[in-house]
Amino acid sequence: MIRFSTAGESHGEALIALLSGLPAGVPVDLNFVNRELWRRQQGYGRGGRMKIETDQAHILSGVRHGKTIGSPIAIELINRDWKNWQEKLPVETGDPAKHRAVASPRPGHADLAGALKYNFPDARYVLERASARESAARVAAGAFAKLMLRELGIEVASHVIRVGGAELHRPVQWEEIVAIAGKDEVMLACVDAEAEAQMKEEVDKATHAGDTVNGIFEVVAHGVPAGLGTFANWDERLDGLLAWAVMSLQAVKAVEIGRGVAAAISFGSAVHDPIQYAAENPPGRPTRFTRPHNNAPAA
Amino acid sequence: MIRFSTAGESHGEALIALLSGLPAGVPVDLNFVNRELWRRQQGYGRGGRMKIETDQAHILSGVRHGKTIGSPIAIELINRDWKNWQEKLPVETGDPAKHRAVASPRPGHADLAGALKYNFPDARYVLERASARESAARVAAGAFAKLMLRELGIEVASHVIRVGGAELHRPVQWEEIVAIAGKDEVMLACVDAEAEAQMKEEVDKATHAGDTVNGIFEVVAHGVPAGLGTFANWDERLDGLLAWAVMSLQAVKAVEIGRGVAAAISFGSAVHDPIQYAAENPPGRPTRFTRPHNNAPAA
Amino acid sequence: MIRFSTAGESHGEALIALLSGLPAGVPVDLNFVNRELWRRQQGYGRGGRMKIETDQAHILSGVRHGKTIGSPIAIELINRDWKNWQEKLPVETGDPAKHRAVASPRPGHADLAGALKYNFPDARYVLERASARESAARVAAGAFAKLMLRELGIEVASHVIRVGGAELHRPVQWEEIVAIAGKDEVMLACVDAEAEAQMKEEVDKATHAGDTVNGIFEVVAHGVPAGLGTFANWDERLDGLLAWAVMSLQAVKAVEIGRGVAAAISFGSAVHDPIQYAAENPPGRPTRFTRPHNNAPAA
Amino acid sequence: MIRFSTAGESHGEALIALLSGLPAGVPVDLNFVNRELWRRQQGYGRGGRMKIETDQAHILSGVRHGKTIGSPIAIELINRDWKNWQEKLPVETGDPAKHRAVASPRPGHADLAGALKYNFPDARYVLERASARESAARVAAGAFAKLMLRELGIEVASHVIRVGGAELHRPVQWEEIVAIAGKDEVMLACVDAEAEAQMKEEVDKATHAGDTVNGIFEVVAHGVPAGLGTFANWDERLDGLLAWAVMSLQAVKAVEIGRGVAAAISFGSAVHDPIQYAAENPPGRPTRFTRPHNNAPAA
């Protein structure tokens, strides 16, 4: 069973990702892991914090001679800002006068709920852990998962399909998504230059107004064999597990499988993916079954 | 720790819901449990199967003298149709000639993925378990969860806010949702008569065209104290856990928290729920913190 | 992942074993399952309850046409005594005057701890679930596990090696353990007639004195491939998982792996199992590695 | 839910203990945590490795201003020997010629099973993780658990009751166990000087003969309220959970609760702990129930 957990606060010494269950012998491409971490730090309109970080995965265990060895993998991500916070957020008692209280809980964050949960006088401790900085540890763990999936012929990639009012309208090929994932500059990972320009405009508009703007990204898994999931238990169904992982991300408030949101307001006939059967196996596919689109995938 | 699992096939002898972790002493109102099961069976435009079922929770364990006793609760839901299927789907070898093969896997179901997973020659065994009939066992377990939450002053209720193109546009009061949950006839649980009429029209239109139509329902938890969830671990966050449970339901392909889907295409300022602080505790609320709306709730 | 849980009280309507994670296609020999249940009910010197029970596995789900179908398997074991308890332990409120209180908590049982936990006025509800009757449901689930293991060439069997002062002293062959498991009369499953006679005497002595007497049984897994367990995580190690399962049985208060108890008071040289390497694969073994004995097995 | 996991190899850069679920506000006494680590390193007759280590808990997260903050706690234990192994066991490909193969799998260790599991050409990677060095990370996590239990009036301490043929025969008071836990020199934590001398002789004898010798230690939890465990589910019973944790330790091959091993060869009357009821609450105890001894505890 593959499991992972994370630890670490936004302004603490380091984040830890602890991943177990990978089999021994998976080649570990550290450049790939670090590139995934770098990609997380890009983003059109992102703040100054990103420039300080430049995360590097420091592997403490589970990898030897460039391969996994079956032991749990501990990855450390140093917070380069720690030296500026060591006295403000010490592990030991320290000097309370140096504490940097966050007296006003921010909406859209866990500040208020967290402070009430533990009866904290301010939201500092809550935001330290609730912060999206934690997602860096998830990216590190996810990079290892991708390394394993790659050995099985499965690849996972993502791209942005909407920012505010700007939307990608045209259909997208898998190769296009892979291509933007490989670009040196990934400020806003849209496959279409025109749509990307409009999305950037939305960000600029929001920034100019002292506001923020939300969006939609699509994650595509390529090469997934049918039957990987299960119909047997509610808590083992693949769609539920994916929704769990994605909804738990810091800013995510909605998850759809395929075209789930559009499907909810459609006729069934407009959503279903007809099952077709080819005369012979399509290249690179394990079965003869094909489907013209993927509106409501079940794996 | 509260856990539940289900067993049982659509045309087998019975479904089982097994629920453990409820403390001893929770009053068990069987009428309420059966009413929840009855509500699941209502629904404008639903097929004939619903009429056969009329589920009744048969409690095998965990409840004595009308209260939980701390032991696991096993609930049996008899499939009244079993007598017609006993020879078609026998537990023992039986007569293979009586098997009712499902040769054409249906899109929008687990048929194809499940049959490929186990190399079944047809989809019969898959659909028996993948069927939404399984959700009856979840409703039984959920009814017990509601009985426990009720003791803590928390209530959970749902209503329909969209069917195809017909949408509920006006704001809704908690009391309205409770009121429709209590109605004797719950064909389409919408709080607004006019919207409900339009929704029914959408169903009629689809039925007439030999099609189906999707929709959106909203589940509201009332009286939830802030701090019930956690910001500490990705796999314990309340929003992720809720998405897991809901997305694993048979026809659900999208989940949002608050106004998550609309938020994804909005400016931040249009989504956030300002935190306000009242001069004294509002009636029935544990803290002085209030929020004018609930677009992106965090608990 | 294979999981199982149980529900049901000693004098309730039925026990339920719910087992999930078995793959589809495992042949289900119901005679074997029922024989396992029958064996649990045998036992030299056991009380009258055993005669009432004669458990039969009633399969509610997960098995069709004599094979598993990948769905959760629900097994119902009817308590034949239920008709005598229906008014004493009703699910609904019933007549409190008919309650059969257990006012004196018994040592060696969970009575006191359980009653304090839930502040019960007597131990009735506790003993209903804490009772060893629950182990019948585990035997049913375990029988299915054995059916699956059998397909993989692994068999599990047990025998009694000590009762009070009477002990089996000679070495035992796997075939002897299998042989006693197959006998029609299994009152005290010892492979040696003389030792068995002494053990029975111990039971007679205790019964005559109005006492009970404890003992030791050995469970042997035959055909287990090396490497099934793991050294990677404390909570996934096979020895820990086995100890968890066995120690949770109602009367078990000690668990050893191999000759663990004797090892604890020995020199290392007297315990270790030398690793030998045969010139060719021994018959029926997957590797050339052999060990002359099995004092401290690691799998 | 409190969870912990560990990572790290014996000759890697560091071990990590990751502990989550402690509430916020628990005072963290780092001296206590380090003393627990120091105690693990003591031991009459232990090898040279222990002298290199002198473990210090380096807290990376979850503790601020001397208290837990509700976030996961990551504890790093640096392997001081890492500089000597950096080239022998590099994370990256490195120079294969510097690999230190362990060609002979050792009995009494996971070497053979682990190497067969992953088809490793030698046992190096297996022993790196299977090593008892891993238990240092468990001690660190356990020290935090003790800090939390202390706030609830529960203390846990251990002492040695047998080494080879030398055994502690007399009854022991809780205060004696606490006293030896506090000593500056803890080579062999026995409460009785004479018994300790005999135990040391057993160690000397084994060492002189180029052998090792096993033993028995007792862990006592003091102040545990009745009802902490459960009778409801096999996998939640406290005795099973304890056996799981203890049996998973690297050299442990037997676990007993109370006097479980002796009980297995005794009459029931010699084992049971009579339940008595005092006229008033005994000092420092929450209920009036008392028991003269603790042969078969149930919590």
Side-chain angles (χ1 to χ4, degrees), chain B residues 4-208:
Chain B
F4 86 94
S5 45
T6 72
E9 289 102 40
S10 191
H11 299 99
E13 182 173 350
L15 301 178
I16 292 286
L18 203 160
L19 174 68
S20 85
L22 288 199
V26 177
V28 175
D29 176 350
L30 276 180
N31 290 333
F32 173 76
V33 176
N34 285 327
R35 193 184 149 83
E36 291 283 290
L37 290 167
W38 171 82
R39 285 189 69 218
R40 176 188 161 277
Q41 296 186 277
Q42 308 312 302
Y44 190 72
R46 297 202 68 174
R49 175 81 200 264
M50 287 295 144
K51 282 169 189 82
I52 303 174
E53 289 177 11
T54 58
D55 288 318
Q56 298 283 320
H58 181 66
I59 313 291
L60 294 172
S61 69
V63 181
R64 298 289 158 203
H65 300 110
K67 291 187 179 175
T68 60
I69 60 168
S71 304
I73 297 162
I75 308 157
E76 188 181 45
L77 304 176
I78 298 288
N79 283 331
R80 295 180 195 281
D81 214 18
W82 171 234
K83 58 182 177 299
N84 302 322
W85 283 87
Q86 213 158 351
E87 297 199 320
K88 293 169 198 151
L89 278 172
V91 169
E92 301 197 53
T93 316
D95 177 1
K98 292 188 172 148
H99 178 63
R100 295 265 291 260
V102 176
S104 280
R106 299 158 304 161
H109 294 75
D111 291 13
L112 179 60
L116 289 171
K117 181 183 186 77
Y118 290 122
N119 202 22
F120 289 139
D122 76 276
R124 166 58 64 194
Y125 293 155
V126 179
L127 74 88
E128 283 296 321
R129 177 64 187 163
S131 156
R133 174 75 185 131
E134 183 261 348
S135 65
R138 299 202 212 187
V139 167
F144 274 83
K146 284 183 173 182
L147 289 171
M148 191 192 77
L149 290 174
R150 184 188 282 181
E151 298 293 305
L152 303 168
I154 301 171
E155 304 223 36
V156 179
S158 66
H159 61 126
V160 176
I161 59 177
R162 179 153 188 166
V163 172
E167 191 174 4
L168 176 71
H169 285 287
R170 67 170 177 82
V172 178
Q173 299 300 312
W174 167 248
E175 291 70 21
E176 291 179 284
I177 306 172
V178 172
I180 57 154
K183 282 203 305 185
D184 276 352
E185 199 187 332
V186 187
M187 294 304 273
L188 204 157
C190 181
V191 298
D192 185 277
E194 197 180 329
E196 184 171 306
Q198 289 163 3
M199 292 174 184
K200 285 181 175 171
E201 249 175 70
E202 291 286 293
V203 176
D204 291 341
K205 227 184 326 176
T207 307
H208 196 256

Side-chain angles (χ1 to χ4, degrees), chain C residues 178-191:
Chain C
V178 172
I180 58 155
K183 283 204 305 186
D184 275 353
E185 198 184 332
V186 188
M187 294 305 272
L188 203 157
C190 180
V191 299

